[in-house]
Amino acid sequence: DVKVTQSSRYLVKRTGEKVFLECVQDMDHENMFWYRQDPGLGLRLIYFSYDVKMKEKGDIPEGYSVSREKKERFSLILESASTNQTSMYLCASSLYQGVNTEAFFGQGTRLTVV
Amino acid sequence: AQKVTQAQTEISVVEKEDVTLDCVYETRDTTYYLFWYKQPPSGELVFLIRRNSFDEQNEISGRYSWNFQKSTSSFNFTITASQVVDSAVYFCALSEIDYKLSFGAGTTVTVRA
């Protein structure tokens, strides 16, 4: 079974802190994604990566950065957390086969910034 | 611009009723893929189906069926004889040539016993 694991299920951080959300997949997938999920807005893409050290901005990259030093790991970084970044964060991965492969998701990290 | 629109925010039905979830997408690519995902209360998204832009055949899997119509850019999902376990948030998604996977806002389905 494909496994996408996010390091924390729940996180509480203070405004201004630097926050790291970690995601690891064990299926040798090339593509990895970070989304945030908010009520009424669905899943919005923050960043994605199609290869090691490669990254592309999604629809809402402001306030975030990412790191992909190894194929299996994709980190989302909140440089200076703000209360409007309180959300559910979902990591996903998929094979690199053009556009036809489904994405597998982690269990999500619910981040609260106080 | 919203690439995937799910007009229904919430649907509530009684068990055994049929439920149809609408999905309308927007793309300029000729090659693209459409997906449906289910997010049960536990939170983890579960893949249900994918359909490529060249295959307009409808598909049935058990109580689930999908209707893809390119002419109206729609990819609707029907649950027949709904059950309480079908209660979840359902997302439609579009994957285009740049590999981005764009999701709709989701439809919350509540099936009452």
Side-chain angles (χ1 to χ4, degrees):
Chain A
D1 278 354
V2 176
K3 196 80 173 165
V4 179
T5 304
Q6 295 182 228
S7 54
S8 303
R9 194 73 194 262
Y10 300 94
L11 270 180
V12 180
K13 296 291 181 181
R14 295 193 180 279
T15 301
E17 272 193 77
K18 190 169 186 175
V19 181
F20 293 86
L21 302 184
E22 306 287 345
C23 176
V24 177
Q25 51 94 2
D26 65 359
M27 283 302 290
D28 205 34
H29 285 174
E30 278 80 6
N31 297 336
M32 295 190 76
F33 307 82
W34 274 107
Y35 292 87
R36 65 176 281 176
Q37 182 178 6
D38 300 289
L41 297 176
L43 277 70
R44 293 180 292 166
L45 182 64
I46 304 171
Y47 269 96
F48 70 103
S49 168
Y50 53 87
D51 202 351
V52 176
K53 296 190 188 294
M54 305 303 289
K55 61 184 179 185
E56 292 285 339
K57 291 180 180 179
D59 299 317
I60 51 164
E62 296 78 21
Y64 303 95
S65 62
V66 290
S67 172
R68 190 153 180 215
E69 296 297 319
K70 293 185 177 181
K71 192 174 185 181
E72 66 271 18
R73 186 180 297 270
F74 192 36
S75 303
L76 179 69
I77 304 155
L78 286 66
E79 297 290 341
S80 177
S82 63
T83 54
N84 62 13
Q85 292 179 309
T86 291
S87 186
M88 171 70 87
Y89 289 87
L90 294 167
C91 175
S93 71
S94 67
L95 283 169
Y96 185 85
Q97 288 184 357
V99 296
N100 63 340
T101 56
E102 69 269 29
F104 295 86
F105 283 81
Q107 77 278 26
T109 296
R110 184 164 294 283
L111 173 67
T112 303
V113 183
V114 298
Chain B
Q2 189 77 6
K3 292 194 174 185
V4 180
T5 302
Q6 294 179 253
Q8 304 141 309
T9 305
E10 293 183 32
I11 299 176
S12 181
V13 297
V14 178
E15 232 178 353
K16 297 185 183 176
E17 285 186 8
D18 296 348
V19 182
T20 295
L21 310 181
D22 298 333
C23 173
V24 174
Y25 62 92
E26 182 182 329
T27 181
R28 293 182 178 178
D29 292 348
T30 53
T31 301
Y32 55 89
Y33 280 75
L34 296 161
F35 302 82
W36 276 96
Y37 284 83
K38 174 182 179 180
Q39 186 180 41
S42 60
E44 195 163 326
L45 272 83
V46 176
F47 163 77
L48 296 178
I49 190 173
R50 69 170 169 266
R51 174 67 70 220
N52 74 58
S53 52
F54 301 105
D55 181 4
E56 287 194 70
Q57 279 192 346
N58 292 331
E59 182 160 338
I60 298 174
S61 175
R63 295 184 297 105
Y64 294 170
S65 61
W66 291 270
N67 183 296
F68 176 30
Q69 293 196 346
K70 247 173 136 171
S71 59
T72 55
S73 296
S74 66
F75 185 43
N76 297 338
F77 171 32
T78 298
I79 304 172
T80 302
S82 60
Q83 299 176 1
V84 172
V85 293
D86 296 325
S87 296
V89 183
Y90 292 86
F91 291 96
C92 181
L94 166 71
S95 180
E96 298 172 280
I97 202 69
D98 60 1
Y99 311 128
K100 285 171 62 173
L101 185 59
S102 302
F103 283 80
T107 299
T108 300
V109 173
T110 303
V111 182
R112 308 185 308 277

